[in-house]
Amino acid sequence: MLSSLVLMNRGDHFEARLLPDIAQFAPAFGIVAADFDGDTHEDIFLSQNFFAVQPTTSRNDAGVGLLLLGDGKGGLIPRLPAESGIAVFGEQRAAAAADFDHDGRVDLAVTQNAAPTRLFRNTNSPPGLRVRLRGSPHNPQGIGASVRLRQADRWSGAREVQCGSGYWSQNAATLVFAKKVGDAEIEVRWPGGALTRASVPTGAREITVPLETPFPNAKSQ
């Protein structure tokens, strides 16, 4: 099929859901999943457009980059440029999420074919908790580790530290979790199966979790 869709993991099967109509106006290349608005629900950004078509075919240029906000129930709500602040009119390609200014908000980088890379600074979401891993000497960033945050007896979805996360792109190894007031706990499942749990002190904005850290300590800032 030609429609863009998302596959929801339901444990014993995947549920296919078509993306909203506006996401079907142009093909998507770079796809980024991150909590851009800091509400604990995963969102999706699509980099769009394709110009290298046959001479008899109109180029696919109806997209300006699309932010879809997750509602926590499997729904994805589109945000137009006037709401998201994201508008890229070229032939978009790779996209990656990173807190490039270290303010606890997930920012976005979008590349274009034969045009400048665009960087969008997140200024609206509440600051979250930055989590760094310190792995083994051969894997210092903990690539392949799965990380969860527990707050008020509720676990977040798992975030994976990836080496290559999309079309010619890679999200930052420093993860950002939406954090509420109060104590929290980080759980890291390292490549190979080792499990680390570390407490997050109240008010901490960034923590570093080393591979050898025993529960319940972690270095915080």
Side-chain angles (χ1 to χ4, degrees), residues 90-163:
E91 191 177 22
Q92 304 147 54
R93 284 295 179 263
D99 177 17
F100 83 93
D101 55 358
H102 296 189
D103 68 350
R105 301 177 177 93
V106 181
D107 307 303
L108 178 69
V110 183
T111 69
Q112 303 179 83
N113 188 14
T117 296
R118 300 288 303 280
L119 182 61
F120 295 93
R121 180 170 179 252
N122 187 342
T123 60
N124 292 331
S125 71
L129 174 70
R130 290 168 45 86
V131 179
R132 295 174 179 267
L133 303 185
R134 188 167 70 238
S136 66
H138 298 292
N139 184 11
Q141 293 181 312
I143 299 298
S146 178
V147 185
R148 298 193 301 165
L149 177 69
R150 182 188 60 79
Q151 301 180 88
D153 296 324
R154 180 181 177 184
W155 288 98
S156 70
R159 303 274 182 82
E160 187 179 62
V161 182
Q162 300 170 328
C163 182

Side-chain angles (χ1 to χ4, degrees), residues 47-114:
S47 61
Q48 301 172 302
N49 296 339
F50 182 70
F51 297 169
V53 297
Q54 298 173 336
T56 56
T57 304
S58 299
R59 70 182 193 178
N60 303 315
D61 61 359
V64 295
L66 181 61
L67 179 63
L68 301 164
L69 299 183
D71 63 4
K73 302 176 182 178
L76 291 165
I77 313 302
R79 288 291 181 261
L80 298 178
E83 301 168 295
S84 68
I86 300 172
V88 185
F89 296 94
E91 191 177 22
Q92 304 147 54
R93 284 295 179 263
D99 177 17
F100 83 93
D101 55 358
H102 296 189
D103 68 350
R105 301 177 177 93
V106 181
D107 307 303
L108 178 69
V110 183
T111 69
Q112 303 179 83
N113 188 14

